Amino acid sequence: MPPSRFEPSIIKNKIKREEIANKNKKVKSQDKLQRRLARAKLEANDPTAKKKRLSTNVPRTLDNMREFDPSFLTADPSSSSQTQDGPSSSPGEPAYDENAEDLASDPFAAYFNSEEDPNIPPKVLITTSPKASKPTYEFCDEIVGIFPGAEFIRRKKGKGFEVGRIAGWAAGRGYKHMVVVNEDMKKPNAITLIHLPNGPTAYFKLTSIELTKQIYGHARATPHNPELVLNNFVTRLGHTVGRMFQTLFPPLPEFQGRQVVTLHNQRDFLFFRRHRYAFRSPEKVALQEIGPRFTLKLRSLRKGIPAVFNLAEEPKGLEFDVDDLKSSVEETLDSDENKQNASEAPEKVIPPKQDDYLWKWKPELETTRRTFFL
Protein backbone atom coordinates (compact mmCIF):
# COMPACT_ATOMS: atom_id res chain seq x y z
CA MET A 1 0.00 0.00 0.00
CA PRO A 2 1.43 3.45 -0.91
CA PRO A 3 2.43 5.60 2.06
CA SER A 4 0.13 8.47 0.98
CA ARG A 5 -3.30 8.92 -0.56
CA PHE A 6 -2.11 11.88 -2.61
CA GLU A 7 0.19 12.05 -5.59
CA PRO A 8 3.41 13.94 -4.82
CA SER A 9 2.79 16.32 -7.72
CA ILE A 10 -0.42 17.60 -6.06
CA ILE A 11 1.28 18.56 -2.78
CA LYS A 12 2.37 22.18 -2.87
CA ASN A 13 4.75 22.03 0.10
CA LYS A 14 8.17 21.20 -1.31
CA ILE A 15 9.56 19.46 1.80
CA LYS A 16 6.44 17.30 2.23
CA ARG A 17 6.38 16.55 -1.51
CA GLU A 18 9.98 15.27 -1.46
CA GLU A 19 9.28 13.19 1.65
CA ILE A 20 6.28 11.46 0.06
CA ALA A 21 8.20 10.89 -3.20
CA ASN A 22 11.13 9.27 -1.38
CA LYS A 23 8.76 6.98 0.55
CA ASN A 24 7.10 5.86 -2.70
CA LYS A 25 10.49 5.24 -4.28
CA LYS A 26 11.61 3.17 -1.29
CA VAL A 27 8.45 1.05 -1.41
CA LYS A 28 8.92 0.34 -5.13
CA SER A 29 12.57 -0.67 -4.64
CA GLN A 30 11.61 -3.02 -1.80
CA ASP A 31 8.94 -4.66 -3.93
CA LYS A 32 11.42 -5.12 -6.76
CA LEU A 33 13.95 -6.66 -4.36
CA GLN A 34 11.41 -9.14 -3.02
CA ARG A 35 10.47 -10.20 -6.55
CA ARG A 36 14.12 -10.74 -7.45
CA LEU A 37 14.75 -12.81 -4.31
CA ALA A 38 11.69 -14.94 -4.96
CA ARG A 39 12.72 -15.48 -8.58
CA ALA A 40 16.29 -16.40 -7.57
CA LYS A 41 14.95 -18.94 -5.05
CA LEU A 42 12.69 -20.46 -7.70
CA GLU A 43 15.48 -20.68 -10.31
CA ALA A 44 17.85 -22.27 -7.77
CA ASN A 45 15.45 -25.20 -7.48
CA ASP A 46 14.56 -25.28 -11.20
CA PRO A 47 17.50 -24.50 -13.57
CA THR A 48 15.27 -24.68 -16.65
CA ALA A 49 13.29 -21.67 -15.43
CA LYS A 50 16.36 -19.44 -15.71
CA LYS A 51 17.14 -20.66 -19.23
CA LYS A 52 13.57 -20.00 -20.27
CA ARG A 53 13.64 -16.49 -18.80
CA LEU A 54 16.91 -15.60 -20.51
CA SER A 55 15.72 -16.96 -23.85
CA THR A 56 12.59 -14.80 -23.78
CA ASN A 57 14.17 -11.72 -22.20
CA VAL A 58 16.17 -10.53 -25.24
CA PRO A 59 16.94 -6.79 -25.24
CA ARG A 60 15.83 -4.82 -28.28
CA THR A 61 18.76 -3.06 -29.91
CA LEU A 62 19.36 -1.35 -33.23
CA ASP A 63 21.48 -4.31 -34.33
CA ASN A 64 18.92 -7.05 -33.83
CA MET A 65 16.05 -4.82 -35.05
CA ARG A 66 17.73 -3.69 -38.28
CA GLU A 67 15.59 -3.47 -41.38
CA PHE A 68 15.65 -6.48 -43.67
CA ASP A 69 17.92 -6.13 -46.69
CA PRO A 70 17.37 -8.49 -49.67
CA SER A 71 21.15 -8.67 -50.12
CA PHE A 72 21.69 -10.52 -46.82
CA LEU A 73 24.09 -13.40 -47.40
CA THR A 74 23.49 -15.03 -44.02
CA ALA A 75 19.70 -15.15 -44.27
CA ASP A 76 18.08 -18.58 -44.49
CA PRO A 77 16.31 -18.75 -47.87
CA SER A 78 14.28 -21.84 -46.94
CA SER A 79 11.23 -19.83 -45.90
CA SER A 80 11.16 -17.64 -49.00
CA SER A 81 11.99 -20.41 -51.47
CA GLN A 82 8.77 -22.28 -50.75
CA THR A 83 6.62 -19.24 -51.39
CA GLN A 84 8.47 -18.03 -54.48
CA ASP A 85 9.21 -21.29 -56.27
CA GLY A 86 5.91 -23.09 -55.54
CA PRO A 87 5.12 -26.40 -57.20
CA SER A 88 7.07 -25.55 -60.37
CA SER A 89 10.48 -26.32 -58.79
CA SER A 90 11.39 -29.97 -58.89
CA PRO A 91 13.29 -31.49 -55.93
CA GLY A 92 15.70 -33.39 -58.16
CA GLU A 93 17.23 -30.32 -59.82
CA PRO A 94 20.30 -28.79 -58.13
CA ALA A 95 19.68 -25.39 -56.56
CA TYR A 96 21.29 -22.43 -58.30
CA ASP A 97 23.70 -20.75 -55.90
CA GLU A 98 23.83 -17.13 -56.98
CA ASN A 99 26.24 -16.16 -54.23
CA ALA A 100 28.80 -18.74 -55.35
CA GLU A 101 28.58 -17.42 -58.91
CA ASP A 102 29.17 -13.87 -57.69
CA LEU A 103 32.19 -14.90 -55.62
CA ALA A 104 33.69 -16.81 -58.55
CA SER A 105 33.45 -13.78 -60.84
CA ASP A 106 34.29 -10.89 -58.49
CA PRO A 107 37.62 -8.99 -58.79
CA PHE A 108 39.09 -10.83 -55.77
CA ALA A 109 38.61 -14.37 -57.10
CA ALA A 110 42.21 -14.49 -58.40
CA TYR A 111 43.50 -14.01 -54.83
CA PHE A 112 41.55 -16.98 -53.45
CA ASN A 113 42.23 -19.24 -56.46
CA SER A 114 45.91 -18.37 -56.81
CA GLU A 115 48.51 -21.15 -56.89
CA GLU A 116 51.35 -18.91 -55.70
CA ASP A 117 53.13 -19.26 -52.36
CA PRO A 118 50.51 -18.35 -49.69
CA ASN A 119 53.24 -17.01 -47.39
CA ILE A 120 54.20 -14.21 -49.81
CA PRO A 121 52.26 -11.04 -48.87
CA PRO A 122 50.71 -8.91 -51.63
CA LYS A 123 52.49 -5.67 -52.44
CA VAL A 124 50.71 -2.62 -51.04
CA LEU A 125 51.59 0.95 -51.98
CA ILE A 126 50.82 3.56 -49.32
CA THR A 127 50.86 7.26 -50.05
CA THR A 128 49.18 10.47 -48.90
CA SER A 129 47.36 13.45 -50.28
CA PRO A 130 49.51 16.32 -51.61
CA LYS A 131 51.28 18.47 -49.03
CA ALA A 132 50.65 16.11 -46.12
CA SER A 133 51.56 17.04 -42.56
CA LYS A 134 53.41 15.22 -39.78
CA PRO A 135 50.36 13.47 -38.16
CA THR A 136 49.48 11.95 -41.53
CA TYR A 137 53.00 10.60 -42.00
CA GLU A 138 52.93 9.13 -38.50
CA PHE A 139 49.67 7.36 -39.29
CA CYS A 140 51.17 6.04 -42.54
CA ASP A 141 54.08 4.56 -40.56
CA GLU A 142 51.54 2.68 -38.45
CA ILE A 143 49.78 1.32 -41.56
CA VAL A 144 53.07 0.13 -43.03
CA GLY A 145 53.53 -2.01 -39.92
CA ILE A 146 50.04 -3.50 -40.24
CA PHE A 147 50.25 -4.88 -43.79
CA PRO A 148 53.20 -7.27 -44.29
CA GLY A 149 53.86 -6.25 -47.92
CA ALA A 150 53.34 -2.51 -47.51
CA GLU A 151 55.69 0.16 -48.83
CA PHE A 152 55.38 3.91 -48.29
CA ILE A 153 56.24 6.35 -51.07
CA ARG A 154 55.98 10.08 -50.49
CA ARG A 155 53.65 11.70 -52.97
CA LYS A 156 55.14 14.43 -55.13
CA LYS A 157 53.59 17.75 -55.92
CA GLY A 158 52.46 19.08 -59.27
CA LYS A 159 50.44 17.95 -62.25
CA GLY A 160 50.60 14.33 -63.36
CA PHE A 161 50.44 12.83 -59.87
CA GLU A 162 46.69 12.27 -59.69
CA VAL A 163 45.49 9.23 -57.78
CA GLY A 164 44.36 7.49 -60.97
CA ARG A 165 47.74 7.93 -62.68
CA ILE A 166 49.59 6.72 -59.60
CA ALA A 167 47.31 3.66 -59.45
CA GLY A 168 48.07 2.84 -63.09
CA TRP A 169 51.79 3.26 -62.43
CA ALA A 170 51.62 0.98 -59.37
CA ALA A 171 49.61 -1.68 -61.23
CA GLY A 172 52.31 -1.86 -63.91
CA ARG A 173 54.94 -2.53 -61.23
CA GLY A 174 53.30 -5.46 -59.52
CA TYR A 175 51.42 -3.72 -56.70
CA LYS A 176 48.13 -5.37 -55.75
CA HIS A 177 46.70 -2.57 -53.60
CA MET A 178 47.07 1.14 -53.11
CA VAL A 179 46.14 3.03 -49.94
CA VAL A 180 45.83 6.83 -50.04
CA VAL A 181 45.54 8.64 -46.69
CA ASN A 182 43.76 11.95 -47.03
CA GLU A 183 43.94 14.76 -44.48
CA ASP A 184 41.97 17.82 -43.48
CA MET A 185 43.03 20.52 -41.03
CA LYS A 186 46.41 18.73 -40.77
CA LYS A 187 44.80 15.53 -39.48
CA PRO A 188 44.10 12.28 -41.39
CA ASN A 189 40.38 12.10 -42.09
CA ALA A 190 39.86 9.58 -44.94
CA ILE A 191 41.33 6.49 -46.61
CA THR A 192 41.01 5.51 -50.26
CA LEU A 193 41.60 1.77 -50.78
CA ILE A 194 42.23 0.72 -54.40
CA HIS A 195 42.42 -2.88 -55.56
CA LEU A 196 44.81 -3.13 -58.51
CA PRO A 197 44.83 -3.40 -61.43
CA ASN A 198 41.11 -3.05 -62.25
CA GLY A 199 39.48 -1.89 -59.04
CA PRO A 200 37.21 -1.57 -57.18
CA THR A 201 37.97 1.59 -55.22
CA ALA A 202 36.54 2.12 -51.72
CA TYR A 203 36.47 5.45 -49.94
CA PHE A 204 36.25 5.45 -46.11
CA LYS A 205 35.92 8.24 -43.59
CA LEU A 206 38.56 7.92 -40.87
CA THR A 207 37.90 8.81 -37.22
CA SER A 208 38.97 7.96 -33.64
CA ILE A 209 42.67 7.46 -34.40
CA GLU A 210 44.94 6.30 -31.59
CA LEU A 211 48.55 5.55 -32.46
CA THR A 212 50.52 2.77 -30.82
CA LYS A 213 52.42 5.14 -28.55
CA GLN A 214 49.11 6.51 -27.21
CA ILE A 215 47.90 3.07 -26.02
CA TYR A 216 48.95 2.31 -22.46
CA GLY A 217 50.76 -1.01 -22.02
CA HIS A 218 50.80 -1.81 -25.72
CA ALA A 219 52.70 -4.78 -27.13
CA ARG A 220 55.44 -4.63 -29.74
CA ALA A 221 54.66 -5.81 -33.24
CA THR A 222 56.68 -8.51 -34.97
CA PRO A 223 57.11 -9.06 -38.74
CA HIS A 224 54.95 -12.20 -38.73
CA ASN A 225 51.92 -12.48 -41.00
CA PRO A 226 48.89 -11.83 -38.75
CA GLU A 227 45.60 -13.65 -38.59
CA LEU A 228 42.52 -11.78 -39.81
CA VAL A 229 39.10 -11.72 -38.15
CA LEU A 230 36.13 -10.16 -39.98
CA ASN A 231 32.89 -9.71 -38.03
CA ASN A 232 29.31 -8.92 -39.08
CA PHE A 233 29.73 -8.42 -42.83
CA VAL A 234 26.37 -9.89 -43.81
CA THR A 235 25.21 -8.12 -46.99
CA ARG A 236 26.59 -8.30 -50.52
CA LEU A 237 28.18 -4.88 -50.13
CA GLY A 238 29.64 -5.85 -46.77
CA HIS A 239 30.94 -9.11 -48.20
CA THR A 240 32.71 -7.17 -50.98
CA VAL A 241 34.33 -4.84 -48.45
CA GLY A 242 35.38 -7.77 -46.26
CA ARG A 243 36.95 -9.67 -49.17
CA MET A 244 38.73 -6.49 -50.20
CA PHE A 245 40.37 -6.19 -46.80
CA GLN A 246 41.13 -9.91 -46.84
CA THR A 247 43.24 -9.53 -49.98
CA LEU A 248 45.52 -7.07 -48.17
CA PHE A 249 47.01 -9.90 -46.11
CA PRO A 250 48.73 -13.14 -47.17
CA PRO A 251 46.41 -16.16 -47.34
CA LEU A 252 48.41 -18.19 -44.81
CA PRO A 253 49.10 -16.51 -41.43
CA GLU A 254 52.11 -17.28 -39.28
CA PHE A 255 50.60 -18.57 -36.06
CA GLN A 256 53.87 -18.46 -34.15
CA GLY A 257 53.64 -14.64 -34.21
CA ARG A 258 50.33 -14.81 -32.24
CA GLN A 259 49.09 -11.58 -33.89
CA VAL A 260 45.44 -10.99 -34.76
CA VAL A 261 43.98 -8.15 -36.84
CA THR A 262 40.25 -7.61 -36.21
CA LEU A 263 37.86 -5.61 -38.35
CA HIS A 264 34.53 -5.49 -36.52
CA ASN A 265 31.47 -4.08 -38.26
CA GLN A 266 28.81 -2.60 -36.00
CA ARG A 267 26.11 -0.31 -37.42
CA ASP A 268 28.28 0.26 -40.53
CA PHE A 269 31.25 1.47 -38.46
CA LEU A 270 34.37 -0.65 -39.01
CA PHE A 271 36.44 -0.82 -35.83
CA PHE A 272 40.07 -1.77 -36.43
CA ARG A 273 42.08 -3.43 -33.66
CA ARG A 274 45.33 -5.42 -33.55
CA HIS A 275 46.21 -7.73 -30.64
CA ARG A 276 48.64 -10.38 -29.57
CA TYR A 277 47.32 -13.31 -27.56
CA ALA A 278 49.42 -14.76 -24.76
CA PHE A 279 48.92 -18.17 -23.16
CA ARG A 280 48.97 -17.53 -19.42
CA SER A 281 48.19 -21.19 -18.67
CA PRO A 282 46.91 -24.24 -20.57
CA GLU A 283 43.37 -22.98 -19.90
CA LYS A 284 43.64 -19.17 -19.98
CA VAL A 285 44.52 -16.85 -22.86
CA ALA A 286 45.02 -13.09 -22.53
CA LEU A 287 44.99 -10.37 -25.19
CA GLN A 288 47.45 -7.51 -25.34
CA GLU A 289 46.74 -4.71 -27.78
CA ILE A 290 49.45 -3.72 -30.24
CA GLY A 291 47.80 -0.78 -31.98
CA PRO A 292 46.86 1.38 -33.73
CA ARG A 293 43.12 1.96 -33.28
CA PHE A 294 40.90 3.68 -35.78
CA THR A 295 37.34 3.61 -37.12
CA LEU A 296 36.24 3.52 -40.76
CA LYS A 297 32.88 4.26 -42.39
CA LEU A 298 32.25 3.42 -46.03
CA ARG A 299 31.15 6.37 -48.14
CA SER A 300 31.47 5.09 -51.71
CA LEU A 301 32.52 2.11 -53.81
CA ARG A 302 33.66 2.68 -57.38
CA LYS A 303 33.92 0.10 -60.13
CA GLY A 304 37.48 0.71 -61.38
CA ILE A 305 40.45 2.79 -60.32
CA PRO A 306 39.92 6.52 -59.73
CA ALA A 307 39.25 8.60 -62.82
CA VAL A 308 41.52 11.35 -64.12
CA PHE A 309 39.59 14.37 -65.36
CA ASN A 310 41.40 16.26 -68.12
CA LEU A 311 39.29 19.33 -68.76
CA ALA A 312 41.66 20.74 -71.42
CA GLU A 313 41.62 17.63 -73.58
CA GLU A 314 40.52 18.10 -77.18
CA PRO A 315 37.48 16.14 -78.38
CA LYS A 316 38.23 12.89 -80.14
CA GLY A 317 37.94 12.96 -83.93
CA LEU A 318 35.54 10.90 -85.99
CA GLU A 319 36.57 7.36 -86.86
CA PHE A 320 35.39 5.36 -89.87
CA ASP A 321 35.50 1.62 -90.42
CA VAL A 322 37.79 1.54 -93.47
CA ASP A 323 39.98 -1.45 -94.35
CA ASP A 324 43.56 -0.32 -94.11
CA LEU A 325 46.22 -2.14 -96.04
CA LYS A 326 48.92 -1.35 -93.52
CA SER A 327 47.02 -2.87 -90.62
CA SER A 328 46.51 -6.12 -92.52
CA VAL A 329 50.20 -6.31 -93.45
CA GLU A 330 51.28 -5.65 -89.87
CA GLU A 331 49.00 -8.39 -88.55
CA THR A 332 50.54 -10.93 -90.90
CA LEU A 333 54.12 -9.92 -89.98
CA ASP A 334 53.58 -10.46 -86.23
CA SER A 335 55.82 -13.30 -85.09
CA ASP A 336 55.38 -15.76 -82.23
CA GLU A 337 58.21 -14.13 -80.27
CA ASN A 338 56.46 -10.78 -80.24
CA LYS A 339 53.29 -12.46 -79.01
CA GLN A 340 55.14 -14.17 -76.17
CA ASN A 341 56.84 -10.95 -75.14
CA ALA A 342 53.52 -9.13 -75.18
CA SER A 343 51.90 -11.80 -73.04
CA GLU A 344 54.71 -11.74 -70.48
CA ALA A 345 54.83 -7.95 -70.18
CA PRO A 346 52.16 -6.46 -67.88
CA GLU A 347 49.43 -4.51 -69.58
CA LYS A 348 49.50 -0.77 -69.07
CA VAL A 349 46.60 0.32 -66.87
CA ILE A 350 44.99 3.53 -68.08
CA PRO A 351 42.73 5.33 -65.60
CA PRO A 352 39.16 6.04 -66.76
CA LYS A 353 37.87 9.52 -67.54
CA GLN A 354 34.71 9.17 -65.48
CA ASP A 355 33.93 7.46 -62.20
CA ASP A 356 31.44 4.59 -62.23
CA TYR A 357 29.95 4.21 -58.74
CA LEU A 358 28.73 0.83 -57.57
CA TRP A 359 27.43 2.32 -54.32
CA LYS A 360 27.51 5.79 -52.80
CA TRP A 361 26.18 6.92 -49.46
CA LYS A 362 23.46 9.56 -49.49
CA PRO A 363 21.44 10.95 -46.58
CA GLU A 364 18.16 9.85 -48.12
CA LEU A 365 19.30 6.22 -48.04
CA GLU A 366 19.08 6.11 -44.24
CA THR A 367 15.32 6.07 -43.92
CA THR A 368 15.44 5.01 -40.24
CA ARG A 369 18.02 4.52 -37.53
CA ARG A 370 17.71 0.77 -38.16
CA THR A 371 18.95 0.99 -41.76
CA PHE A 372 22.44 -0.44 -42.29
CA PHE A 373 24.25 -1.40 -45.50
CA LEU A 374 27.15 -3.65 -44.48
Side-chain angles (χ1 to χ4, degrees):
M1 183 177 179
S4 175
R5 305 182 291 176
F6 305 100
E7 291 293 333
S9 58
I10 302 177
I11 303 174
K12 295 184 178 181
N13 189 296
K14 180 181 178 181
I15 299 176
K16 191 65 177 178
R17 183 172 65 245
E18 290 181 353
E19 181 181 349
I20 299 299
N22 291 334
K23 287 182 179 180
N24 292 342
K25 186 177 180 181
K26 185 176 181 181
V27 170
K28 289 182 180 179
S29 62
Q30 289 294 326
D31 292 341
K32 184 177 180 181
L33 178 61
Q34 295 299 326
R35 289 197 305 269
R36 290 180 61 187
L37 292 176
R39 185 176 62 207
K41 185 177 180 180
L42 177 63
E43 292 176 352
N45 300 327
D46 187 7
T48 58
K50 183 176 181 180
K51 293 182 180 180
K52 183 179 179 181
R53 177 176 61 86
L54 294 178
S55 62
T56 56
N57 188 18
V58 179
R60 301 174 65 186
T61 63
L62 292 178
D63 294 323
N64 58 23
M65 293 177 58
R66 64 181 295 176
E67 290 186 348
F68 176 75
D69 191 340
S71 64
F72 277 162
L73 293 178
T74 56
D76 187 8
S78 59
S79 59
S80 59
S81 62
Q82 296 177 0
T83 56
Q84 293 177 0
D85 296 341
S88 60
S89 60
S90 59
E93 296 180 358
Y96 175 69
D97 193 354
E98 186 179 357
N99 298 331
E101 293 290 336
D102 293 342
L103 295 180
S105 60
D106 71 349
F108 318 112
Y111 168 85
F112 296 96
N113 301 330
S114 176
E115 297 180 356
E116 299 179 357
D117 187 0
N119 292 314
I120 299 178
K123 295 179 65 177
V124 181
L125 173 62
I126 298 176
T127 186
T128 63
S129 57
K131 301 180 181 179
S133 58
K134 183 179 178 181
T136 305
Y137 288 127
E138 291 179 350
F139 182 69
C140 289
D141 292 339
E142 298 277 352
I143 297 181
V144 171
I146 293 172
F147 307 123
E151 178 184 0
F152 175 77
I153 298 180
R154 185 184 289 261
R155 186 171 174 181
K156 296 183 179 180
K157 305 176 184 177
K159 187 178 180 181
F161 293 96
E162 296 88 353
V163 177
R165 298 185 191 275
I166 299 175
W169 175 89
R173 283 156 180 78
Y175 289 94
K176 300 300 181 183
H177 294 85
M178 179 177 170
V179 180
V180 182
V181 181
N182 189 30
E183 72 168 20
D184 185 30
M185 303 294 291
K186 295 186 177 181
K187 292 181 181 180
N189 73 324
I191 285 181
T192 304
L193 180 58
I194 308 170
H195 182 266
L196 302 176
N198 299 319
T201 300
Y203 178 75
F204 300 91
K205 295 299 291 182
L206 177 65
T207 55
S208 305
I209 301 174
E210 287 190 32
L211 303 181
T212 302
K213 61 183 180 181
Q214 297 174 340
I215 300 175
Y216 178 76
H218 65 86
R220 293 186 179 182
T222 58
H224 296 89
N225 297 337
E227 304 174 50
L228 181 63
V229 178
L230 301 174
N231 288 335
N232 295 340
F233 293 92
V234 295
T235 62
R236 290 180 181 270
L237 179 62
H239 207 61
T240 301
V241 174
R243 284 169 67 89
M244 192 173 186
F245 277 102
Q246 194 171 357
T247 55
L248 288 166
F249 297 90
L252 185 62
E254 296 176 351
F255 296 100
Q256 62 270 24
R258 295 180 287 110
Q259 294 186 124
V260 182
V261 172
T262 305
L263 202 65
H264 177 74
N265 173 35
Q266 186 171 359
R267 303 178 188 177
D268 286 351
F269 288 94
L270 309 182
F271 299 95
F272 179 90
R273 298 292 185 269
R274 183 166 62 147
H275 295 87
R276 170 179 289 115
Y277 52 89
F279 297 98
R280 305 299 187 192
S281 68
E283 296 153 357
K284 291 185 179 180
V285 179
L287 286 176
Q288 186 180 13
E289 189 168 359
I290 300 176
R293 302 176 186 169
F294 55 88
T295 305
L296 302 173
K297 189 173 179 64
L298 182 66
R299 290 302 185 186
S300 66
L301 185 67
R302 283 173 276 187
K303 190 173 183 180
I305 63 176
V308 176
F309 302 96
N310 192 358
L311 301 179
E313 184 180 7
E314 296 181 358
K316 190 176 182 180
L318 297 177
E319 295 182 357
F320 302 94
D321 296 335
V322 180
D323 294 336
D324 193 358
L325 180 61
K326 292 183 179 180
S327 61
S328 62
V329 172
E330 290 177 357
E331 290 178 0
T332 56
L333 293 178
D334 286 340
S335 61
D336 296 337
E337 295 180 359
N338 294 334
K339 291 181 180 179
Q340 293 178 359
N341 294 334
S343 61
E344 293 177 359
E347 296 182 1
K348 185 177 180 181
V349 179
I350 300 176
K353 297 182 181 180
Q354 188 175 3
D355 287 324
D356 186 9
Y357 284 91
L358 298 174
W359 182 85
K360 187 175 182 180
W361 180 85
K362 296 179 181 179
E364 54 266 24
L365 292 178
E366 295 186 355
T367 55
T368 62
R369 293 181 61 200
R370 297 179 285 109
T371 303
F372 306 113
F373 307 102
L374 300 183

